[in-house]
mmCIF file of all heavy atoms in Angstrom:
data_model
loop_
_atom_site.group_PDB
_atom_site.id
_atom_site.type_symbol
_atom_site.label_atom_id
_atom_site.label_comp_id
_atom_site.label_asym_id
_atom_site.label_seq_id
_atom_site.Cartn_x
_atom_site.Cartn_y
_atom_site.Cartn_z
ATOM 1 N N PRO A 108 12.271 -1.904 -11.949
ATOM 2 C CA PRO A 108 12.604 -2.165 -13.362
ATOM 3 C C PRO A 108 11.454 -2.838 -14.098
ATOM 4 O O PRO A 108 10.815 -3.755 -13.582
ATOM 5 C CB PRO A 108 13.816 -3.108 -13.268
ATOM 6 C CG PRO A 108 14.427 -2.804 -11.939
ATOM 7 C CD PRO A 108 13.275 -2.470 -11.030
ATOM 8 N N GLY A 109 11.180 -2.363 -15.294
ATOM 9 C CA GLY A 109 10.169 -2.967 -16.145
ATOM 10 C C GLY A 109 8.778 -2.406 -15.985
ATOM 11 O O GLY A 109 7.907 -2.675 -16.828
ATOM 12 N N VAL A 110 8.538 -1.623 -14.944
ATOM 13 C CA VAL A 110 7.176 -1.117 -14.721
ATOM 14 C C VAL A 110 6.730 -0.182 -15.833
ATOM 15 O O VAL A 110 5.637 -0.321 -16.393
ATOM 16 C CB VAL A 110 7.078 -0.408 -13.340
ATOM 17 C CG1 VAL A 110 5.743 0.331 -13.216
ATOM 18 C CG2 VAL A 110 7.220 -1.418 -12.216
ATOM 19 N N ALA A 111 7.561 0.804 -16.176
ATOM 20 C CA ALA A 111 7.186 1.762 -17.222
ATOM 21 C C ALA A 111 6.962 1.049 -18.553
ATOM 22 O O ALA A 111 6.003 1.360 -19.283
ATOM 23 C CB ALA A 111 8.264 2.830 -17.368
ATOM 24 N N ARG A 112 7.809 0.090 -18.868
ATOM 25 C CA ARG A 112 7.657 -0.663 -20.125
ATOM 26 C C ARG A 112 6.334 -1.422 -20.133
ATOM 27 O O ARG A 112 5.599 -1.403 -21.140
ATOM 28 C CB ARG A 112 8.816 -1.630 -20.297
ATOM 29 C CG ARG A 112 8.677 -2.535 -21.538
ATOM 30 C CD ARG A 112 9.822 -3.538 -21.642
ATOM 31 N NE ARG A 112 9.920 -4.381 -20.470
ATOM 32 C CZ ARG A 112 9.136 -5.448 -20.262
ATOM 33 N NH1 ARG A 112 8.177 -5.773 -21.133
ATOM 34 N NH2 ARG A 112 9.296 -6.188 -19.186
ATOM 35 N N LEU A 113 5.993 -2.091 -19.036
ATOM 36 C CA LEU A 113 4.754 -2.856 -18.956
ATOM 37 C C LEU A 113 3.540 -1.944 -19.081
ATOM 38 O O LEU A 113 2.576 -2.268 -19.799
ATOM 39 C CB LEU A 113 4.700 -3.625 -17.651
ATOM 40 C CG LEU A 113 3.477 -4.528 -17.428
ATOM 41 C CD1 LEU A 113 3.366 -5.556 -18.532
ATOM 42 C CD2 LEU A 113 3.563 -5.204 -16.062
ATOM 43 N N VAL A 114 3.586 -0.805 -18.405
ATOM 44 C CA VAL A 114 2.477 0.144 -18.497
ATOM 45 C C VAL A 114 2.319 0.629 -19.933
ATOM 46 O O VAL A 114 1.212 0.691 -20.480
ATOM 47 C CB VAL A 114 2.706 1.334 -17.548
ATOM 48 C CG1 VAL A 114 1.709 2.462 -17.824
ATOM 49 C CG2 VAL A 114 2.595 0.871 -16.095
ATOM 50 N N ASP A 115 3.420 0.970 -20.590
ATOM 51 C CA ASP A 115 3.352 1.468 -21.961
ATOM 52 C C ASP A 115 2.829 0.400 -22.916
ATOM 53 O O ASP A 115 2.060 0.704 -23.848
ATOM 54 C CB ASP A 115 4.739 1.951 -22.418
ATOM 55 C CG ASP A 115 5.158 3.242 -21.733
ATOM 56 O OD1 ASP A 115 4.273 3.924 -21.177
ATOM 57 O OD2 ASP A 115 6.355 3.558 -21.752
ATOM 58 N N GLU A 116 3.226 -0.849 -22.718
ATOM 59 C CA GLU A 116 2.719 -1.933 -23.561
ATOM 60 C C GLU A 116 1.223 -2.121 -23.383
ATOM 61 O O GLU A 116 0.483 -2.344 -24.349
ATOM 62 C CB GLU A 116 3.456 -3.231 -23.260
ATOM 63 C CG GLU A 116 4.897 -3.263 -23.746
ATOM 64 C CD GLU A 116 5.598 -4.560 -23.403
ATOM 65 O OE1 GLU A 116 4.970 -5.428 -22.756
ATOM 66 O OE2 GLU A 116 6.783 -4.716 -23.772
ATOM 67 N N ALA A 117 0.770 -2.032 -22.129
ATOM 68 C CA ALA A 117 -0.662 -2.149 -21.875
ATOM 69 C C ALA A 117 -1.438 -1.014 -22.533
ATOM 70 O O ALA A 117 -2.483 -1.232 -23.161
ATOM 71 C CB ALA A 117 -0.916 -2.158 -20.359
ATOM 72 N N LEU A 118 -0.919 0.200 -22.407
ATOM 73 C CA LEU A 118 -1.599 1.353 -23.015
ATOM 74 C C LEU A 118 -1.634 1.235 -24.530
ATOM 75 O O LEU A 118 -2.640 1.548 -25.176
ATOM 76 C CB LEU A 118 -0.905 2.639 -22.592
ATOM 77 C CG LEU A 118 -1.012 2.997 -21.103
ATOM 78 C CD1 LEU A 118 -0.208 4.255 -20.793
ATOM 79 C CD2 LEU A 118 -2.463 3.179 -20.688
ATOM 80 N N SER A 119 -0.552 0.761 -25.111
ATOM 81 C CA SER A 119 -0.497 0.591 -26.569
ATOM 82 C C SER A 119 -1.516 -0.435 -27.049
ATOM 83 O O SER A 119 -2.046 -0.341 -28.162
ATOM 84 C CB SER A 119 0.911 0.169 -27.010
ATOM 85 O OG SER A 119 1.847 1.203 -26.735
ATOM 86 N N ALA A 120 -1.789 -1.431 -26.194
ATOM 87 C CA ALA A 120 -2.738 -2.481 -26.553
ATOM 88 C C ALA A 120 -4.169 -2.117 -26.160
ATOM 89 O O ALA A 120 -5.088 -2.919 -26.359
ATOM 90 C CB ALA A 120 -2.327 -3.792 -25.878
#
Side-chain angles (χ1 to χ4, degrees):
V110 170
R112 176 182 58 80
L113 182 58
V114 169
D115 289 343
E116 288 179 358
L118 293 177
S119 295

